[in-house]
Amino acid sequence: MNHWKTKCDGGCAAPRRERRPGQGGMRMGTKLTIAAFASLVIGGCTNIGPHTIPRDRFDYNAAISDSWKEQTLLNVVKLRYADMLLFVEVASVVSGYTLEGAVSLGAETGGSVSDLFSLGTAAKYTDRPTITYVPITGKRFNVSFMTPIPPDAIIFLMQSGWAVDLILPLTVDSISGLRARVAAGAGKRAGDPKFYRVIALLRAIQQSGAVGMRVVASKENERSTVLFFYRDQLTPELKAALQELDTLLGLDPTKNEFTVTYGLLPGSKTEIAMLTRSILQIMIVLAAEVDVPIEHVKEGRTVASLSQPGSASTPVQARLINIKYKVERPKEAFAAVRYRDHWFYIDDRDFLSKRIFAFLMVLFSLTETGGREGLPLVTIPAG
């Protein structure tokens, strides 16, 4: 309601209206306030996306990484008890945000100027991500988990700088007939000391830079991996290491290049045969190293494993990984899962076990096929 005052100086034809002092300022100030609030609401709607990227990227990264570690550890423990393993992959994460704002303005008649306008606001914020899970089954499981890792992939890891004494004890079951240690199961064995001596020699040669690899294609377009050693300009210690390696693997000491093949025994003195493991076999080997309650062994829930070998004379033959158990949730855990009323975990202060476990995660990428067509999908709106 507008208030006006009429003033006439004798003989005037029409009254002249005067606005009361302060009325215009109050009305203009209210308009500015409304405009400012509306701009804030609109600005918040347009800028919500960029501000969520740093938070979402790192939060989802940490959550997916931790869940993948725990899922892998759980499957290793389940294999210790001959339980079924299952991997469920996070195929996609679609995070959607909605910010709605509303401004209401009303005018009233009567009363003072301060009662002239009424202002109302409302806002609604929604975060509703959609996460898609893909169980790894069927053909993809067979290819990714049950197919042996190609020997050329292992040699490539060696050439890339991964330590031989980390790679070979985990991924190779035998080298030219020399067998590795298996702690439990039907193939339980202590392992051939010569197998670990070969690994120690290869590690010394690797550190010296006197070993290399290349991929050679034959006339039939078949690709083969060739491992070659530099025998010239070596120290006496490295020459002795190469001679011992030739003897252990039955190699021709006059040759510098040797073809790496898949198999238990080499076909000639210019071949190095590697019987490699699949991801499933590697997990079974690690499962045999899991510490379990003694009563579970006595009750027949799982089998006993070999005692840990002495690490003084053959350090590379020592236990691959140390997975402990507790009744209560461990405080210093790199990864921990609850299974059969116990917590199985890798201690965060056990660097060697963490390194083996991290390398297992790297091996998953080597066997990734990338095909997801025709697989069942489980999509869960997590809002």
Side-chain angles (χ1 to χ4, degrees), residues 250-273:
L251 301 176
D252 186 346
T254 64
K255 302 294 183 180
N256 292 339
E257 299 183 356
F258 303 93
T259 303
V260 180
T261 60
Y262 175 83
L264 179 62
L265 297 173
S268 67
K269 291 187 176 183
T270 59
E271 284 186 6
I272 300 176

Side-chain angles (χ1 to χ4, degrees), residues 230-250:
Y230 302 98
R231 296 183 182 271
D232 299 329
Q233 299 178 351
L234 297 180
T235 63
E237 292 79 11
L238 284 176
K239 288 182 179 180
L242 280 173
Q243 291 174 0
E244 184 179 359
L245 186 66
D246 292 336
T247 302
L248 291 172
L249 297 180

Side-chain angles (χ1 to χ4, degrees), residues 148-381:
I149 300 173
D152 59 343
I154 295 174
I155 301 300
F156 175 77
L157 288 172
M158 293 168 49
Q159 189 66 20
S160 300
W162 289 88
V164 172
D165 52 357
L166 168 66
I167 300 172
L168 296 187
L170 188 64
T171 62
V172 177
D173 191 72
S174 74
I175 302 176
S176 295
L178 305 178
R179 308 301 294 268
R181 174 180 182 267
V182 178
K188 181 168 61 174
R189 59 177 181 264
D192 193 332
K194 294 180 180 179
F195 174 86
Y196 297 98
R197 180 57 183 167
V198 166
I199 294 176
L201 293 171
L202 283 173
R203 177 55 179 162
I205 297 170
Q206 181 190 35
Q207 288 177 314
S208 70
V211 62
M213 66 160 287
R214 67 168 174 262
V215 178
V216 178
S218 64
K219 295 180 180 179
E220 294 79 14
N221 292 326
E222 294 182 356
R223 296 165 60 90
S224 59
T225 302
V226 174
L227 191 67
F228 56 90
F229 300 99
Y230 302 98
R231 296 183 182 271
D232 299 329
Q233 299 178 351
L234 297 180
T235 63
E237 292 79 11
L238 284 176
K239 288 182 179 180
L242 280 173
Q243 291 174 0
E244 184 179 359
L245 186 66
D246 292 336
T247 302
L248 291 172
L249 297 180
L251 301 176
D252 186 346
T254 64
K255 302 294 183 180
N256 292 339
E257 299 183 356
F258 303 93
T259 303
V260 180
T261 60
Y262 175 83
L264 179 62
L265 297 173
S268 67
K269 291 187 176 183
T270 59
E271 284 186 6
I272 300 176
M274 287 188 177
L275 189 63
T276 58
R277 295 166 174 161
S278 65
I279 292 293
L280 182 58
Q281 286 177 301
I282 293 173
M283 293 180 65
I284 292 174
V285 168
L286 294 180
E289 307 275 0
V290 177
D291 286 336
V292 294
I294 188 61
E295 58 269 19
H296 288 183
V297 176
K298 293 179 179 180
E299 294 169 356
R301 302 182 189 275
T302 185
V303 296
S305 60
L306 290 173
S307 59
Q308 182 176 352
S311 57
S313 58
T314 56
V316 75
Q317 193 178 355
R319 190 173 190 168
L320 287 173
I321 195 169
N322 192 8
I323 300 176
K324 305 177 182 179
Y325 72 90
K326 278 186 177 181
V327 176
E328 302 295 332
R329 187 185 183 101
K331 295 181 180 180
E332 296 288 344
F334 172 71
V337 292
R338 184 169 174 80
Y339 183 75
R340 293 180 179 262
D341 297 327
H342 289 77
W343 284 94
F344 293 87
Y345 68 101
I346 298 174
D347 197 309
D348 192 49
R349 297 161 293 189
D350 184 355
F351 180 79
L352 295 180
S353 294
K354 292 197 301 181
R355 186 178 69 155
I356 286 289
F357 194 76
F359 183 66
L360 174 62
M361 311 302 288
V362 173
L363 292 177
F364 282 131
S365 64
L366 291 179
T367 59
E368 176 61 44
T369 61
R372 296 174 183 166
E373 297 79 13
L375 293 176
L377 302 179
V378 182
T379 303
I380 300 176

